[in-house]
Amino acid sequence: VALTTEWTLILGYFLLVSALTYGFYWWDKRQAKTGKRRTREWTLHLFELIGGWPGAWLAQWNLRHKTSKRSYQIVFWVIVAIHQAIAFDTQRGGQWLSDLYF
């Protein structure tokens, strides 16, 4: 299956934001180990929300970071669910989301 320019840009965007998000997780984990100033949770969630949730999931899995804090995980999985709903709706022609707003 050939990717169109539009899908190539979308994929590139998600890869870039995911890599940045992974980097923020790595940095926060490093800071936590050394007792230094941490990255705010809302910053991590913002990067997840703008498309970095795959990188966040990989970072949580690889770095074992932010996995045991329940309140953090609830927000993270809500963000993932939002992205999945948007992806599902996009595949179905966008009808569901347009019905919500109009």
Side-chain angles (χ1 to χ4, degrees), residues 75-99:
V75 175
F76 172 74
W77 286 108
V78 166
I79 290 169
V80 171
I82 289 167
H83 277 274
Q84 296 309 303
I86 292 168
F88 176 76
D89 188 51
T90 300
Q91 290 298 311
R92 297 185 45 88
Q95 189 61 41
W96 181 62
L97 288 176
S98 65
D99 287 347

Side-chain angles (χ1 to χ4, degrees), residues 33-83:
K33 284 183 175 181
T34 59
K36 295 182 181 172
R37 186 175 173 164
R38 308 272 308 273
T39 304
R40 293 184 175 151
E41 287 185 358
W42 66 265
T43 301
L44 297 175
H45 285 316
L46 176 64
F47 274 87
E48 295 159 5
L49 187 62
I50 66 170
W53 71 266
W57 180 79
L58 285 173
Q60 288 177 25
W61 189 73
N62 286 332
L63 304 173
R64 299 285 184 231
H65 190 51
K66 297 292 186 186
T67 56
S68 61
K69 188 171 183 183
R70 186 179 178 122
S71 61
Y72 189 88
Q73 286 295 303
I74 289 169
V75 175
F76 172 74
W77 286 108
V78 166
I79 290 169
V80 171
I82 289 167
H83 277 274

Side-chain angles (χ1 to χ4, degrees), residues 5-56:
T5 303
E6 178 181 300
W7 281 106
T8 303
L9 290 173
I10 292 169
L11 180 61
Y13 170 81
F14 277 97
L15 287 172
L16 176 64
V17 176
S18 287
L20 287 171
T21 305
Y22 191 101
F24 273 107
Y25 268 79
W26 175 83
W27 180 257
D28 189 51
K29 177 76 173 192
R30 181 177 174 203
Q31 296 297 87
K33 284 183 175 181
T34 59
K36 295 182 181 172
R37 186 175 173 164
R38 308 272 308 273
T39 304
R40 293 184 175 151
E41 287 185 358
W42 66 265
T43 301
L44 297 175
H45 285 316
L46 176 64
F47 274 87
E48 295 159 5
L49 187 62
I50 66 170
W53 71 266

